[in-house]
Amino acid sequence: MTPHSLAFYVDVVTSGTVLGAKPTDSPDRVTAILGSDYAENSLNDHIMWRDYGMAEFSWVRDSPDAPWEGHHFTLQVHRLSHWGGSIVNTSMRDRYGRFGRRLRFDKLERLLRKRGVPLESVPDVNAPAFTQHWQPASQVSVMTFRAHPKWQQRRRGDARIGDVHAIHSSVSADQVAGNREHYGRQNA
């Protein structure tokens, strides 16, 4: 992992944005920042997301005539292990350089802690295979791979224990409280 790509992840977790694109931004605003190289997907007239490689932004609307409202973004960090840095959007590579195939949670957490940006452990429905860590000020969640299912045959490029799987924004305090209530307190 290059220091530049680590800086990208630290910036995302600290700011709650991707190159300044907020989870609440319109599709046009996100595209103005990340570029027009994306795949657009929708489930129906009310939910849409754009896949910019590693970054995905999602929008919702009440009716087909209503404007899209930004809902969240996800960095699909796990995609790096299979496709490498080529999956990273050109705008991100132009600003931060080369991206390695893995993001180790311990490195990310250490850099964040040095900058005074703590992560809280949060119980998650995906435990014990994954752990969730939350940054309250930016409302960013980091999901980390922690265990291989016993039934799964491991393949080259699969996640390694301690790899960051995904980074999500925004995750509200109410969502974290709901996870704590439903899944109990856990130490990651």
Side-chain angles (χ1 to χ4, degrees), residues 23-24 58 60 70-74 120-125 132-136 138-143 167-185:
T24 56
S58 298
V60 296
H71 188 265
H72 71 276
F73 70 74
T74 302
E120 297 179 11
S121 292
V122 178
D124 188 78
V125 66
Q132 184 180 179
H133 311 274
W134 181 61
Q135 208 304 304
S138 65
Q139 295 191 333
V140 171
S141 170
V142 178
M143 182 173 280
I167 298 174
H168 308 278
S169 181
S170 41
V171 177
S172 71
D174 288 343
Q175 288 170 294
V176 169
N179 273 18
R180 287 186 172 136
E181 181 180 325
H182 287 98
Y183 309 114
R185 293 197 176 273

Side-chain angles (χ1 to χ4, degrees), residues 17-93:
T17 69
V18 176
L19 301 181
K22 297 178 275 193
T24 56
D25 282 342
S26 70
D28 290 342
R29 170 89 173 118
V30 173
T31 297
I33 293 169
L34 297 182
S36 59
D37 186 13
Y38 60 82
E40 187 170 291
N41 305 280
S42 63
L43 297 175
N44 52 44
D45 290 337
H46 303 283
I47 299 169
M48 173 183 68
W49 71 98
R50 288 184 178 167
D51 182 341
Y52 295 87
M54 180 174 61
E56 292 181 354
F57 277 76
S58 298
W59 296 272
V60 296
R61 63 183 177 185
D62 292 332
S63 71
D65 299 328
W68 291 108
E69 296 177 14
H71 188 265
H72 71 276
F73 70 74
T74 302
L75 294 180
Q76 303 285 4
V77 181
H78 61 93
R79 291 179 180 171
L80 289 166
S81 66
H82 295 284
W83 292 289
S86 66
I87 195 74
V88 177
N89 174 279
T90 303
S91 299
M92 290 187 265
R93 280 186 285 143

